[in-house]
Amino acid sequence: MEHAPTFVDTAAAGRGAVLDRERADPRDALLGWLAERAAARDLQVERTSFADLEHWSLDGTHGAIRHDSGRFFSVEGLAVSTNHGWRREWSQPILLQPEVGFLALLVREVDGVMHALVQAKVEPGNLGKAQLSPTIQATRSNVLGVHRGHAVRYIEHVNGTAPGHVLLDVLQSEQGSWFLRKRNRNLVVEVQEDVELHPDFRWTPLSVLRSALLVDNVVNMDLRSVISCLPTTGRLGPVDDGGPVVDERVQALRRSLAARPEPDHALRRWVTDIRSRRELVQRLRPLSDTASSGWVLGEDAIEHVDGKYFSVFGITVTASGREVGSWSQPIVAAASPGLLALLVTQVDGVLRALVQMRTQAGGFEVAELAPTVHCQPANYADLPESAAPPYLDVVATADEGSVLYDSWQSEEGGRFHHLQNRYVVVEVPPSFDTSQTPEHRWVTLGEIGDLLTHENYVTIELRTLMACALALAQGEHP
């Protein structure tokens, strides 16, 4: 792990002790700073009825929960039909946020080591109050000042009014299970000049930032998305040729990340073929219409009659250090944790991952590349075995020695309340049979990385696992 100079303000007494801690364990120092920033911020979240949500109301004409400004997001009903999966038609509540959000990470090279400017961001739905986020994490409404709060810090480096060199700029989708056709703009901008540091921001080496992904619920969803889109080689890559000698699995992982796509772009053609055959029809409906699929619209919450899937309820928030000090909003909570698992195997010393083409209710595309297993296991407990996702049993019965990565990671705390999923990477033998699931495919991580330079090929969940793979490629262990 690199040991780069600290950027913490140490003008006060104790400079030597702080520097010693930084050099001894940069990741612990980063996590310690995050805990300090969380303790310094006051955050109060109270659950409230829909009727008591300030500036929000149930639009009787459209049967949706909307903000008075018409901006931010709304909660609406969605009717879905598809020709894929065990369930072909259903309706559900969905978050509609048509504006594109900004996820921007400022980077700077210091003494040959690339650093990123991360933010200790407090969100009402976070586990642990504050999590590491990109330099800029904002909706377009925030950027335009619709909330009438403080300006978004460092936005000048995105809108071109301050110097900066754009290294990455790509639109990526968000969770298709809960958002309708939602996308964010993922950016990495290199700066040369000093930037004025706010106490909630910190420069940290990219290697240290990646290693934080080995800790539960520290790196938020949006930062994981940006990290996953970084190049896997070169100045922003996790390892260079001739790096430290590591075990066989890590070497196979590094070779996989470095692998280039096939000349005939077989993976893209496979994606295109499935998209051309699969159907996804999305129709907005009043929230009351979701009752046909078991959803109950109450005064305090929208919930499923079976206690499955997710719920929507209202919260009132007061928070110090935010653009706005208090507000209220609807928020989504999962009924049970999700499982995002990637099966991998070694072929000729190169790690290959088993991905699937997954269709989601609110997907921007008819299907995107997703982990081998993507589900809430509790939703299938009372269903026939045939309804369970392929390979769920393989992950559930995996022995400890085959697990390369296993952690809990939170989803974005601005729209989701204490929503965490288990992310797992499990190694299987090369003889593992996948012939019965033609819509799964073995690929290298380099092929996935190539698609991440294009829009809407890879789900946010698979992007998280790619970010975790970049952390493992450094040769560290969870």
Side-chain angles (χ1 to χ4, degrees):
M1 187 182 299
E2 294 106 338
H3 297 275
T6 178
F7 285 82
V8 175
D9 181 6
T10 55
R15 174 186 293 269
V18 172
L19 289 175
D20 287 345
R21 184 180 67 177
E22 294 275 343
R23 295 188 182 106
D25 194 329
R27 186 176 74 188
D28 276 0
L30 176 63
L31 300 184
W33 169 79
L34 182 64
E36 290 167 4
R37 296 316 305 156
R41 300 282 292 277
D42 182 42
L43 177 71
Q44 302 293 329
V45 180
E46 295 184 2
R47 185 163 173 168
T48 187
S49 68
F50 292 135
D52 290 334
L53 289 178
E54 188 176 1
H55 300 305
W56 294 82
S57 58
L58 179 63
D59 183 334
T61 302
H62 300 94
I65 300 173
R66 302 177 185 273
H67 192 265
D68 294 346
S69 68
R71 305 299 291 265
F72 302 111
F73 67 98
S74 59
V75 184
E76 314 212 8
L78 182 72
V80 183
S81 62
T82 179
N83 61 351
H84 177 72
W86 69 276
R87 192 176 182 186
R88 303 298 177 92
E89 293 187 0
W90 71 94
S91 60
Q92 65 171 81
I94 199 83
L95 299 179
L96 180 60
Q97 187 173 332
E99 60 186 28
V100 173
F102 292 87
L103 308 178
L105 189 66
L106 299 189
V107 297
R108 184 184 180 192
E109 192 169 320
V110 179
D111 295 334
V113 176
M114 190 62 76
H115 287 62
L117 184 61
V118 295
Q119 177 182 179
K121 192 168 184 66
V122 172
E123 294 281 15
N126 276 355
L127 282 160
K129 190 186 292 188
Q131 294 184 3
L132 297 174
S133 84
T135 318
I136 300 169
Q137 177 185 318
T139 65
R140 183 166 177 80
S141 292
N142 293 145
V143 172
L144 294 176
V146 176
H147 52 32
R148 298 180 181 177
H150 301 302
V152 175
R153 290 186 176 89
Y154 308 113
I155 192 63
E156 63 273 13
H157 294 281
V158 172
N159 62 22
T161 58
H165 177 57
V166 177
L167 303 180
L168 171 78
D169 191 354
V170 62
L171 288 173
Q172 298 289 4
S173 61
E174 283 209 38
Q175 293 99 331
S177 296
W178 298 300
F179 279 109
L180 178 61
R181 301 174 65 82
K182 175 73 173 71
R183 297 193 296 174
N184 279 326
R185 187 179 178 185
N186 289 237
L187 297 110
V188 177
V189 179
E190 185 174 11
V191 296
Q192 302 293 335
E193 295 78 10
D194 290 336
V195 298
E196 184 178 353
L197 277 186
H198 182 274
D200 287 336
F201 293 77
R202 175 188 176 101
W203 289 103
T204 190
L206 274 176
S207 60
V208 177
L209 181 55
R210 292 190 192 96
S211 73
L213 282 160
L214 306 178
V215 183
D216 292 353
N217 299 317
V218 166
V219 180
N220 81 353
M221 179 197 80
D222 296 309
L223 184 51
R224 298 195 305 266
S225 178
V226 178
I227 291 172
S228 74
C229 296
L230 295 174
T232 57
T233 57
R235 292 192 305 151
L236 301 179
V239 290
D240 295 318
D241 293 339
V245 177
V246 291
D247 63 46
E248 181 182 345
R249 283 176 167 177
V250 174
Q251 293 285 22
L253 173 60
R254 291 180 177 180
R255 296 187 191 104
S256 186
L257 287 167
R260 297 299 92 199
E262 297 293 332
D264 63 351
H265 297 289
L267 178 57
R268 278 199 232 177
R269 290 191 292 107
W270 178 69
V271 170
T272 301
D273 177 62
I274 290 179
R275 285 177 172 176
S276 68
R277 291 184 284 108
R278 198 175 293 183
E279 298 174 2
L280 175 64
V281 179
Q282 303 156 322
R283 297 186 179 92
L284 287 172
R285 291 288 185 265
L287 277 169
S288 56
D289 284 7
T290 63
S292 61
S293 290
W295 293 93
V296 179
L297 175 57
E299 295 181 357
D300 298 325
I302 304 172
E303 300 173 300
H304 196 270
V305 67
D306 292 336
K308 295 182 178 181
Y309 312 119
F310 62 93
S311 61
V312 184
F313 54 84
I315 57 172
T316 297
V317 186
T318 57
S320 61
R322 296 269 308 201
E323 291 90 352
V324 174
S326 64
W327 72 94
S328 60
Q329 65 171 88
I331 200 164
V332 172
S336 60
L339 174 65
L340 293 310
L342 195 64
L343 297 186
V344 298
T345 193
Q346 290 189 45
V347 178
D348 298 329
V350 178
L351 203 72
R352 294 184 179 272
L354 187 63
V355 297
Q356 64 163 310
M357 284 294 287
R358 179 175 172 80
T359 295
Q360 300 186 87
F364 192 89
E365 292 284 355
V366 66
E368 291 187 48
L369 289 176
T372 318
V373 178
H374 176 160
C375 70
Q376 289 173 275
N379 290 345
Y380 298 90
D382 59 346
L383 296 178
E385 186 176 341
S386 59
Y391 311 115
L392 176 59
D393 58 334
V394 176
V395 178
T397 59
D399 62 83
E400 185 177 347
S402 65
V403 177
L404 279 64
Y405 179 89
D406 191 350
S407 76
W408 291 91
Q409 299 292 343
S410 301
E411 305 312 318
E412 196 269 318
R415 299 291 178 264
F416 305 113
H417 187 264
H418 292 182
L419 201 167
Q420 64 173 343
N421 290 317
R422 183 186 175 203
Y423 285 85
V424 189
V425 179
V426 177
E427 187 172 18
V428 296
S431 59
F432 187 78
D433 183 16
T434 61
S435 60
Q436 300 304 308
T437 54
E439 291 178 338
H440 283 71
R441 184 185 181 97
W442 291 105
V443 300
T444 65
L445 299 183
E447 288 180 288
I448 300 174
D450 172 68
L451 290 184
L452 283 171
T453 63
H454 303 276
E455 299 176 8
N456 311 316
Y457 273 98
V458 182
T459 64
I460 179 63
E461 294 82 9
L462 184 54
R463 296 203 301 276
T464 283
L465 284 164
M466 279 291 291
C468 297
L470 292 171
L472 294 175
Q474 297 179 162
E476 299 176 74
H477 298 283

